[in-house]
mmCIF file of all heavy atoms in Angstrom:
data_model
loop_
_atom_site.group_PDB
_atom_site.id
_atom_site.type_symbol
_atom_site.label_atom_id
_atom_site.label_comp_id
_atom_site.label_asym_id
_atom_site.label_seq_id
_atom_site.Cartn_x
_atom_site.Cartn_y
_atom_site.Cartn_z
ATOM 1 N N ALA A 150 -14.246 2.595 18.923
ATOM 2 C CA ALA A 150 -12.935 3.158 18.709
ATOM 3 C C ALA A 150 -11.904 2.243 19.232
ATOM 4 O O ALA A 150 -10.741 2.107 18.633
ATOM 5 C CB ALA A 150 -12.760 4.419 19.534
ATOM 6 N N SER A 151 -12.232 1.488 20.384
ATOM 7 C CA SER A 151 -11.292 0.545 20.794
ATOM 8 C C SER A 151 -11.021 -0.661 19.990
ATOM 9 O O SER A 151 -10.018 -1.239 19.879
ATOM 10 C CB SER A 151 -11.777 0.084 22.246
ATOM 11 O OG SER A 151 -11.003 -0.948 22.784
ATOM 12 N N ILE A 152 -12.137 -1.061 19.354
ATOM 13 C CA ILE A 152 -12.049 -2.138 18.434
ATOM 14 C C ILE A 152 -11.244 -1.874 17.188
ATOM 15 O O ILE A 152 -10.447 -2.657 16.648
ATOM 16 C CB ILE A 152 -13.464 -2.632 17.969
ATOM 17 C CG1 ILE A 152 -14.233 -3.283 19.076
ATOM 18 C CG2 ILE A 152 -13.478 -3.544 16.666
ATOM 19 C CD1 ILE A 152 -15.738 -3.478 18.997
ATOM 20 N N ILE A 153 -11.423 -0.548 16.702
ATOM 21 C CA ILE A 153 -10.497 -0.073 15.703
ATOM 22 C C ILE A 153 -8.975 -0.272 16.010
ATOM 23 O O ILE A 153 -8.210 -0.735 15.300
ATOM 24 C CB ILE A 153 -10.858 1.389 15.399
ATOM 25 C CG1 ILE A 153 -12.137 1.416 14.624
ATOM 26 C CG2 ILE A 153 -9.694 1.926 14.490
ATOM 27 C CD1 ILE A 153 -12.725 2.835 14.518
ATOM 28 N N GLU A 154 -8.680 0.141 17.267
ATOM 29 C CA GLU A 154 -7.401 0.098 17.643
ATOM 30 C C GLU A 154 -6.909 -1.240 17.864
ATOM 31 O O GLU A 154 -5.710 -1.672 17.455
ATOM 32 C CB GLU A 154 -7.132 0.781 18.983
ATOM 33 C CG GLU A 154 -5.654 0.960 19.536
ATOM 34 C CD GLU A 154 -5.427 1.792 20.600
ATOM 35 O OE1 GLU A 154 -6.478 2.477 21.077
ATOM 36 O OE2 GLU A 154 -4.311 1.911 21.010
ATOM 37 N N ARG A 155 -7.726 -2.161 18.360
ATOM 38 C CA ARG A 155 -7.323 -3.640 18.536
ATOM 39 C C ARG A 155 -7.090 -4.403 17.240
ATOM 40 O O ARG A 155 -6.468 -5.400 17.145
ATOM 41 C CB ARG A 155 -8.354 -4.272 19.422
ATOM 42 C CG ARG A 155 -8.283 -3.911 20.891
ATOM 43 C CD ARG A 155 -9.443 -4.524 21.687
ATOM 44 N NE ARG A 155 -9.120 -4.011 23.109
ATOM 45 C CZ ARG A 155 -8.699 -4.691 23.975
ATOM 46 N NH1 ARG A 155 -8.288 -5.999 23.757
ATOM 47 N NH2 ARG A 155 -8.459 -4.297 25.269
ATOM 48 N N THR A 156 -7.814 -3.973 16.142
ATOM 49 C CA THR A 156 -7.751 -4.646 14.855
ATOM 50 C C THR A 156 -6.677 -4.065 13.884
ATOM 51 O O THR A 156 -6.316 -4.716 12.991
ATOM 52 C CB THR A 156 -9.081 -4.642 14.231
ATOM 53 O OG1 THR A 156 -9.544 -3.290 14.019
ATOM 54 C CG2 THR A 156 -10.030 -5.442 14.954
ATOM 55 N N SER A 157 -6.326 -2.781 14.260
ATOM 56 C CA SER A 157 -5.426 -2.071 13.374
ATOM 57 C C SER A 157 -4.031 -1.642 13.915
ATOM 58 O O SER A 157 -3.068 -1.456 13.168
ATOM 59 C CB SER A 157 -6.049 -0.802 12.743
ATOM 60 O OG SER A 157 -6.214 0.112 13.816
ATOM 61 N N GLY A 158 -4.042 -1.700 15.199
ATOM 62 C CA GLY A 158 -2.731 -1.233 15.925
ATOM 63 C C GLY A 158 -2.582 0.338 15.959
ATOM 64 O O GLY A 158 -1.753 0.817 16.396
ATOM 65 N N LEU A 159 -3.642 1.025 15.421
ATOM 66 C CA LEU A 159 -3.635 2.382 15.336
ATOM 67 C C LEU A 159 -4.783 2.950 16.302
ATOM 68 O O LEU A 159 -5.916 2.354 16.209
ATOM 69 C CB LEU A 159 -3.910 2.937 13.940
ATOM 70 C CG LEU A 159 -2.915 2.602 12.835
ATOM 71 C CD1 LEU A 159 -3.347 3.000 11.530
ATOM 72 C CD2 LEU A 159 -1.594 3.074 13.106
ATOM 73 N N ASN A 160 -4.589 3.982 17.076
ATOM 74 C CA ASN A 160 -5.517 4.617 17.847
ATOM 75 C C ASN A 160 -6.613 5.213 16.883
ATOM 76 O O ASN A 160 -6.257 5.451 15.569
ATOM 77 C CB ASN A 160 -5.081 5.525 18.805
ATOM 78 C CG ASN A 160 -4.487 6.840 18.286
ATOM 79 O OD1 ASN A 160 -5.025 7.449 17.451
ATOM 80 N ND2 ASN A 160 -3.347 7.077 18.865
ATOM 81 N N VAL A 161 -7.707 5.563 17.262
ATOM 82 C CA VAL A 161 -8.853 6.041 16.484
ATOM 83 C C VAL A 161 -8.462 7.349 15.640
ATOM 84 O O VAL A 161 -8.770 7.361 14.506
ATOM 85 C CB VAL A 161 -10.229 6.281 17.218
ATOM 86 C CG1 VAL A 161 -10.035 7.480 18.271
ATOM 87 C CG2 VAL A 161 -11.226 6.427 16.291
ATOM 88 N N HIS A 162 -7.637 8.179 16.340
ATOM 89 C CA HIS A 162 -7.361 9.355 15.516
ATOM 90 C C HIS A 162 -6.246 9.122 14.442
ATOM 91 O O HIS A 162 -6.461 9.566 13.273
ATOM 92 C CB HIS A 162 -6.705 10.324 16.542
ATOM 93 C CG HIS A 162 -6.552 11.774 15.936
ATOM 94 N ND1 HIS A 162 -5.820 12.652 16.536
ATOM 95 C CD2 HIS A 162 -7.144 12.379 14.904
ATOM 96 C CE1 HIS A 162 -5.891 13.932 15.726
ATOM 97 N NE2 HIS A 162 -6.623 13.649 14.765
ATOM 98 N N GLU A 163 -5.359 8.146 14.733
ATOM 99 C CA GLU A 163 -4.301 7.833 13.777
ATOM 100 C C GLU A 163 -5.064 7.146 12.602
ATOM 101 O O GLU A 163 -4.582 7.313 11.364
ATOM 102 C CB GLU A 163 -3.324 6.931 14.307
ATOM 103 C CG GLU A 163 -2.314 7.514 15.455
ATOM 104 C CD GLU A 163 -1.536 6.595 16.107
ATOM 105 O OE1 GLU A 163 -1.871 5.339 16.252
ATOM 106 O OE2 GLU A 163 -0.611 7.010 16.643
ATOM 107 N N PHE A 164 -6.088 6.203 12.905
ATOM 108 C CA PHE A 164 -6.613 5.467 11.889
ATOM 109 C C PHE A 164 -7.500 6.409 10.972
ATOM 110 O O PHE A 164 -7.487 6.302 9.774
ATOM 111 C CB PHE A 164 -7.552 4.460 12.567
ATOM 112 C CG PHE A 164 -8.201 3.402 11.451
ATOM 113 C CD1 PHE A 164 -7.663 2.256 11.276
ATOM 114 C CD2 PHE A 164 -9.468 3.724 10.917
ATOM 115 C CE1 PHE A 164 -8.192 1.330 10.393
ATOM 116 C CE2 PHE A 164 -10.026 2.928 10.010
ATOM 117 C CZ PHE A 164 -9.397 1.715 9.752
ATOM 118 N N ALA A 165 -8.187 7.349 11.647
ATOM 119 C CA ALA A 165 -9.026 8.312 10.835
ATOM 120 C C ALA A 165 -8.163 9.111 9.998
ATOM 121 O O ALA A 165 -8.482 9.528 8.753
ATOM 122 C CB ALA A 165 -9.754 9.140 11.801
ATOM 123 N N LYS A 166 -6.977 9.648 10.535
ATOM 124 C CA LYS A 166 -6.139 10.542 9.684
ATOM 125 C C LYS A 166 -5.609 9.690 8.507
ATOM 126 O O LYS A 166 -5.504 10.277 7.304
ATOM 127 C CB LYS A 166 -4.945 10.925 10.557
ATOM 128 C CG LYS A 166 -5.356 12.113 11.518
ATOM 129 C CD LYS A 166 -4.190 12.850 12.128
ATOM 130 C CE LYS A 166 -3.500 11.980 13.101
ATOM 131 N NZ LYS A 166 -2.412 12.700 13.864
ATOM 132 N N LYS A 167 -5.199 8.473 8.672
ATOM 133 C CA LYS A 167 -4.691 7.640 7.573
ATOM 134 C C LYS A 167 -5.801 7.170 6.507
ATOM 135 O O LYS A 167 -5.391 7.361 5.311
ATOM 136 C CB LYS A 167 -3.965 6.469 8.155
ATOM 137 C CG LYS A 167 -3.223 5.580 7.169
ATOM 138 C CD LYS A 167 -2.375 4.572 7.735
ATOM 139 C CE LYS A 167 -1.547 3.725 6.732
ATOM 140 N NZ LYS A 167 -0.834 2.640 7.300
ATOM 141 N N TYR A 168 -6.778 6.794 6.951
ATOM 142 C CA TYR A 168 -7.683 6.071 6.011
ATOM 143 C C TYR A 168 -9.017 7.052 5.661
ATOM 144 O O TYR A 168 -9.669 6.633 4.642
ATOM 145 C CB TYR A 168 -8.170 4.861 6.553
ATOM 146 C CG TYR A 168 -6.972 3.814 6.733
ATOM 147 C CD1 TYR A 168 -6.563 3.232 8.021
ATOM 148 C CD2 TYR A 168 -6.402 3.273 5.613
ATOM 149 C CE1 TYR A 168 -5.550 2.434 8.130
ATOM 150 C CE2 TYR A 168 -5.389 2.361 5.727
ATOM 151 C CZ TYR A 168 -4.935 1.928 6.973
ATOM 152 O OH TYR A 168 -3.843 1.074 7.040
ATOM 153 N N LEU A 169 -9.285 8.016 6.456
ATOM 154 C CA LEU A 169 -10.475 8.817 6.224
ATOM 155 C C LEU A 169 -10.072 10.291 5.908
ATOM 156 O O LEU A 169 -10.465 10.769 4.920
ATOM 157 C CB LEU A 169 -11.405 8.653 7.367
ATOM 158 C CG LEU A 169 -12.693 9.479 7.226
ATOM 159 C CD1 LEU A 169 -13.494 9.104 6.111
ATOM 160 C CD2 LEU A 169 -13.555 9.416 8.546
ATOM 161 N N PHE A 170 -9.328 10.897 6.872
ATOM 162 C CA PHE A 170 -8.970 12.331 6.717
ATOM 163 C C PHE A 170 -8.086 12.527 5.500
ATOM 164 O O PHE A 170 -8.372 13.383 4.658
ATOM 165 C CB PHE A 170 -8.439 12.869 7.898
ATOM 166 C CG PHE A 170 -9.399 12.847 9.073
ATOM 167 C CD1 PHE A 170 -8.897 13.144 10.441
ATOM 168 C CD2 PHE A 170 -10.713 12.600 9.003
ATOM 169 C CE1 PHE A 170 -9.746 13.125 11.447
ATOM 170 C CE2 PHE A 170 -11.528 12.623 10.101
ATOM 171 C CZ PHE A 170 -11.058 12.896 11.337
ATOM 172 N N SER A 171 -7.006 11.727 5.318
ATOM 173 C CA SER A 171 -6.112 12.101 4.343
ATOM 174 C C SER A 171 -6.679 11.935 2.888
ATOM 175 O O SER A 171 -6.448 12.838 2.062
ATOM 176 C CB SER A 171 -4.859 11.086 4.453
ATOM 177 O OG SER A 171 -3.810 11.277 3.452
ATOM 178 N N PRO A 172 -7.476 10.851 2.635
ATOM 179 C CA PRO A 172 -8.128 10.779 1.344
ATOM 180 C C PRO A 172 -9.140 11.934 1.066
ATOM 181 O O PRO A 172 -9.342 12.270 -0.132
ATOM 182 C CB PRO A 172 -8.963 9.435 1.466
ATOM 183 C CG PRO A 172 -8.080 8.608 2.450
ATOM 184 C CD PRO A 172 -7.629 9.627 3.446
ATOM 185 N N LEU A 173 -9.614 12.509 2.131
ATOM 186 C CA LEU A 173 -10.605 13.612 2.055
ATOM 187 C C LEU A 173 -9.869 15.023 1.918
ATOM 188 O O LEU A 173 -10.509 15.938 1.742
ATOM 189 C CB LEU A 173 -11.550 13.656 3.164
ATOM 190 C CG LEU A 173 -12.602 12.484 3.165
ATOM 191 C CD1 LEU A 173 -13.485 12.652 4.414
ATOM 192 C CD2 LEU A 173 -13.529 12.531 1.904
ATOM 193 N N GLY A 174 -8.538 14.932 2.073
ATOM 194 C CA GLY A 174 -7.909 16.168 2.131
ATOM 195 C C GLY A 174 -7.902 16.952 3.330
ATOM 196 O O GLY A 174 -7.726 18.138 3.419
ATOM 197 N N ILE A 175 -8.324 16.329 4.451
ATOM 198 C CA ILE A 175 -8.463 16.938 5.788
ATOM 199 C C ILE A 175 -7.045 16.880 6.374
ATOM 200 O O ILE A 175 -6.430 15.795 6.753
ATOM 201 C CB ILE A 175 -9.400 16.223 6.674
ATOM 202 C CG1 ILE A 175 -10.771 16.351 5.960
ATOM 203 C CG2 ILE A 175 -9.378 16.745 7.978
ATOM 204 C CD1 ILE A 175 -11.937 15.547 6.817
ATOM 205 N N GLU A 176 -6.356 18.086 6.556
ATOM 206 C CA GLU A 176 -4.960 18.069 6.978
ATOM 207 C C GLU A 176 -4.883 18.465 8.285
ATOM 208 O O GLU A 176 -3.801 18.249 8.964
ATOM 209 C CB GLU A 176 -4.240 19.168 6.011
ATOM 210 C CG GLU A 176 -4.252 18.829 4.604
ATOM 211 C CD GLU A 176 -3.510 19.724 3.781
ATOM 212 O OE1 GLU A 176 -3.242 20.954 4.289
ATOM 213 O OE2 GLU A 176 -3.265 19.591 2.421
ATOM 214 N N ASN A 177 -5.774 19.122 9.026
ATOM 215 C CA ASN A 177 -5.785 19.467 10.364
ATOM 216 C C ASN A 177 -6.886 19.097 11.287
ATOM 217 O O ASN A 177 -7.971 19.267 10.828
ATOM 218 C CB ASN A 177 -5.537 21.104 10.482
ATOM 219 C CG ASN A 177 -5.124 21.563 11.756
ATOM 220 O OD1 ASN A 177 -4.546 20.931 12.576
ATOM 221 N ND2 ASN A 177 -5.273 22.959 11.943
ATOM 222 N N SER A 178 -6.554 18.366 12.335
ATOM 223 C CA SER A 178 -7.500 17.814 13.146
ATOM 224 C C SER A 178 -6.931 17.669 14.624
ATOM 225 O O SER A 178 -5.647 17.466 14.838
ATOM 226 C CB SER A 178 -8.070 16.483 12.707
ATOM 227 O OG SER A 178 -7.075 15.479 12.615
ATOM 228 N N GLU A 179 -7.764 17.602 15.673
ATOM 229 C CA GLU A 179 -7.323 17.312 17.002
ATOM 230 C C GLU A 179 -8.273 16.441 17.602
ATOM 231 O O GLU A 179 -9.575 16.507 17.144
ATOM 232 C CB GLU A 179 -7.224 18.698 17.870
ATOM 233 C CG GLU A 179 -6.170 19.770 17.352
ATOM 234 C CD GLU A 179 -6.241 20.884 18.177
ATOM 235 O OE1 GLU A 179 -7.112 21.118 19.011
ATOM 236 O OE2 GLU A 179 -5.352 21.709 17.843
ATOM 237 N N TRP A 180 -7.972 15.510 18.422
ATOM 238 C CA TRP A 180 -8.854 14.843 19.182
ATOM 239 C C TRP A 180 -8.437 14.618 20.692
ATOM 240 O O TRP A 180 -7.459 14.088 21.040
ATOM 241 C CB TRP A 180 -8.868 13.310 18.599
ATOM 242 C CG TRP A 180 -10.198 12.571 18.774
ATOM 243 C CD1 TRP A 180 -10.948 12.480 19.824
ATOM 244 C CD2 TRP A 180 -10.832 11.702 17.675
ATOM 245 N NE1 TRP A 180 -12.064 11.793 19.566
ATOM 246 C CE2 TRP A 180 -12.029 11.308 18.269
ATOM 247 C CE3 TRP A 180 -10.462 11.521 16.387
ATOM 248 C CZ2 TRP A 180 -12.922 10.515 17.557
ATOM 249 C CZ3 TRP A 180 -11.411 10.740 15.711
ATOM 250 C CH2 TRP A 180 -12.648 10.204 16.303
ATOM 251 N N THR A 181 -9.307 15.210 21.565
ATOM 252 C CA THR A 181 -9.118 15.388 22.933
ATOM 253 C C THR A 181 -8.943 13.962 23.689
ATOM 254 O O THR A 181 -9.763 13.049 23.268
ATOM 255 C CB THR A 181 -10.202 16.176 23.621
ATOM 256 O OG1 THR A 181 -10.262 17.496 22.872
ATOM 257 C CG2 THR A 181 -9.970 16.438 25.175
ATOM 258 N N HIS A 182 -8.123 13.888 24.523
ATOM 259 C CA HIS A 182 -7.936 12.624 25.475
ATOM 260 C C HIS A 182 -8.689 12.852 26.739
ATOM 261 O O HIS A 182 -9.033 13.988 27.115
ATOM 262 C CB HIS A 182 -6.537 12.391 25.765
ATOM 263 C CG HIS A 182 -5.597 12.033 24.660
ATOM 264 N ND1 HIS A 182 -5.177 12.761 23.697
ATOM 265 C CD2 HIS A 182 -5.106 10.768 24.527
ATOM 266 C CE1 HIS A 182 -4.452 12.122 22.836
ATOM 267 N NE2 HIS A 182 -4.468 10.823 23.219
ATOM 268 N N PHE A 183 -9.122 11.691 27.308
ATOM 269 C CA PHE A 183 -9.601 11.682 28.692
ATOM 270 C C PHE A 183 -8.678 12.435 29.504
ATOM 271 O O PHE A 183 -7.389 12.347 29.291
ATOM 272 C CB PHE A 183 -9.967 10.333 29.230
ATOM 273 C CG PHE A 183 -11.125 9.702 28.572
ATOM 274 C CD1 PHE A 183 -11.216 8.333 28.327
ATOM 275 C CD2 PHE A 183 -12.173 10.482 28.111
ATOM 276 C CE1 PHE A 183 -12.293 7.749 27.768
ATOM 277 C CE2 PHE A 183 -13.198 9.892 27.551
ATOM 278 C CZ PHE A 183 -13.366 8.488 27.212
ATOM 279 N N PRO A 184 -9.117 13.128 30.683
ATOM 280 C CA PRO A 184 -8.225 13.962 31.399
ATOM 281 C C PRO A 184 -6.920 13.167 31.999
ATOM 282 O O PRO A 184 -5.846 13.764 32.029
ATOM 283 C CB PRO A 184 -9.171 14.393 32.588
ATOM 284 C CG PRO A 184 -10.451 14.423 31.998
ATOM 285 C CD PRO A 184 -10.483 13.175 30.967
ATOM 286 N N ASP A 185 -7.200 12.046 32.619
ATOM 287 C CA ASP A 185 -6.106 11.366 33.252
ATOM 288 C C ASP A 185 -5.675 10.041 32.585
ATOM 289 O O ASP A 185 -4.816 9.265 33.220
ATOM 290 C CB ASP A 185 -6.490 11.012 34.764
ATOM 291 C CG ASP A 185 -6.930 12.308 35.441
ATOM 292 O OD1 ASP A 185 -6.092 13.306 35.366
ATOM 293 O OD2 ASP A 185 -7.879 12.339 36.173
ATOM 294 N N ILE A 186 -6.162 9.798 31.370
ATOM 295 C CA ILE A 186 -5.860 8.556 30.764
ATOM 296 C C ILE A 186 -5.421 8.724 29.291
ATOM 297 O O ILE A 186 -6.044 9.705 28.718
ATOM 298 C CB ILE A 186 -7.013 7.632 30.660
ATOM 299 C CG1 ILE A 186 -7.575 7.379 32.207
ATOM 300 C CG2 ILE A 186 -6.744 6.222 29.982
ATOM 301 C CD1 ILE A 186 -8.915 6.533 32.060
ATOM 302 N N ASN A 187 -4.448 8.125 28.781
ATOM 303 C CA ASN A 187 -4.018 8.274 27.390
ATOM 304 C C ASN A 187 -5.008 7.489 26.407
ATOM 305 O O ASN A 187 -4.656 6.496 25.868
ATOM 306 C CB ASN A 187 -2.548 7.691 27.141
ATOM 307 C CG ASN A 187 -2.087 8.066 25.840
ATOM 308 O OD1 ASN A 187 -2.561 8.980 25.161
ATOM 309 N ND2 ASN A 187 -1.034 7.219 25.298
ATOM 310 N N LEU A 188 -6.230 8.065 26.343
ATOM 311 C CA LEU A 188 -7.265 7.381 25.674
ATOM 312 C C LEU A 188 -8.075 8.587 25.027
ATOM 313 O O LEU A 188 -8.546 9.478 25.741
ATOM 314 C CB LEU A 188 -8.123 6.551 26.537
ATOM 315 C CG LEU A 188 -9.202 5.735 25.830
ATOM 316 C CD1 LEU A 188 -8.577 4.716 24.949
ATOM 317 C CD2 LEU A 188 -10.170 5.050 26.904
ATOM 318 N N HIS A 189 -8.290 8.495 23.670
ATOM 319 C CA HIS A 189 -9.108 9.516 22.999
ATOM 320 C C HIS A 189 -10.488 9.413 23.470
ATOM 321 O O HIS A 189 -11.136 8.248 23.642
ATOM 322 C CB HIS A 189 -9.065 9.233 21.478
ATOM 323 C CG HIS A 189 -7.794 9.608 20.940
ATOM 324 N ND1 HIS A 189 -6.771 8.637 20.825
ATOM 325 C CD2 HIS A 189 -7.186 10.819 20.356
ATOM 326 C CE1 HIS A 189 -5.605 9.254 20.305
ATOM 327 N NE2 HIS A 189 -5.826 10.404 20.056
ATOM 328 N N ALA A 190 -11.177 10.649 23.598
ATOM 329 C CA ALA A 190 -12.694 10.695 23.977
ATOM 330 C C ALA A 190 -13.417 10.426 22.679
ATOM 331 O O ALA A 190 -13.681 11.415 22.021
ATOM 332 C CB ALA A 190 -12.892 12.063 24.654
ATOM 333 N N ALA A 191 -13.636 9.141 22.322
ATOM 334 C CA ALA A 191 -14.123 8.852 21.066
ATOM 335 C C ALA A 191 -15.532 9.411 20.743
ATOM 336 O O ALA A 191 -15.809 9.779 19.631
ATOM 337 C CB ALA A 191 -14.205 7.359 20.893
ATOM 338 N N ALA A 192 -16.286 9.490 21.744
ATOM 339 C CA ALA A 192 -17.749 10.019 21.551
ATOM 340 C C ALA A 192 -17.815 11.449 21.403
ATOM 341 O O ALA A 192 -18.973 11.945 20.824
ATOM 342 C CB ALA A 192 -18.641 9.562 22.694
ATOM 343 N N SER A 193 -16.904 12.315 21.745
ATOM 344 C CA SER A 193 -17.032 13.692 21.670
ATOM 345 C C SER A 193 -15.814 14.590 21.524
ATOM 346 O O SER A 193 -15.975 15.842 21.570
ATOM 347 C CB SER A 193 -17.810 14.121 23.043
ATOM 348 O OG SER A 193 -16.922 13.808 24.115
ATOM 349 N N GLY A 194 -14.634 14.050 21.417
ATOM 350 C CA GLY A 194 -13.427 14.802 21.483
ATOM 351 C C GLY A 194 -12.850 15.353 20.278
ATOM 352 O O GLY A 194 -11.789 16.071 20.237
ATOM 353 N N LEU A 195 -13.465 15.165 19.110
ATOM 354 C CA LEU A 195 -12.787 15.530 17.885
ATOM 355 C C LEU A 195 -13.052 17.005 17.545
ATOM 356 O O LEU A 195 -14.044 17.568 17.850
ATOM 357 C CB LEU A 195 -13.435 14.741 16.710
ATOM 358 C CG LEU A 195 -12.846 14.961 15.277
ATOM 359 C CD1 LEU A 195 -11.426 14.624 15.153
ATOM 360 C CD2 LEU A 195 -13.648 14.046 14.246
ATOM 361 N N ARG A 196 -12.004 17.578 16.901
ATOM 362 C CA ARG A 196 -12.068 19.158 16.403
ATOM 363 C C ARG A 196 -11.678 19.006 14.970
ATOM 364 O O ARG A 196 -10.708 18.522 14.613
ATOM 365 C CB ARG A 196 -11.069 19.913 17.304
ATOM 366 C CG ARG A 196 -11.676 20.108 18.681
ATOM 367 C CD ARG A 196 -10.641 20.882 19.538
ATOM 368 N NE ARG A 196 -10.415 22.226 19.080
ATOM 369 C CZ ARG A 196 -11.106 23.259 19.382
ATOM 370 N NH1 ARG A 196 -12.228 23.225 20.082
ATOM 371 N NH2 ARG A 196 -10.721 24.492 18.832
#
């Protein structure tokens, strides 16, 4: 997920929404952050 952000400038949720979810017609999603850090829990946080 970090590599995605470093190569695209988008965090993993933004990237997924733009290039994966939107083409699939997925309009609603959430991605939990780590408790004390502005970082998506890439391994387990998606809803």
Side-chain angles (χ1 to χ4, degrees):
S151 173
I152 289 169
I153 288 167
E154 183 166 2
R155 287 170 178 264
T156 57
S157 70
L159 302 173
N160 67 48
V161 66
H162 194 198
E163 292 169 338
F164 188 94
K166 285 192 289 186
K167 183 173 183 178
Y168 296 113
L169 179 62
F170 295 168
S171 180
L173 290 177
I175 296 175
E176 298 178 349
N177 194 12
S178 61
E179 295 175 358
W180 208 315
T181 303
H182 288 72
F183 287 149
D185 301 315
I186 305 174
N187 186 25
L188 186 67
H189 290 86
S193 60
L195 182 60
R196 289 171 63 80

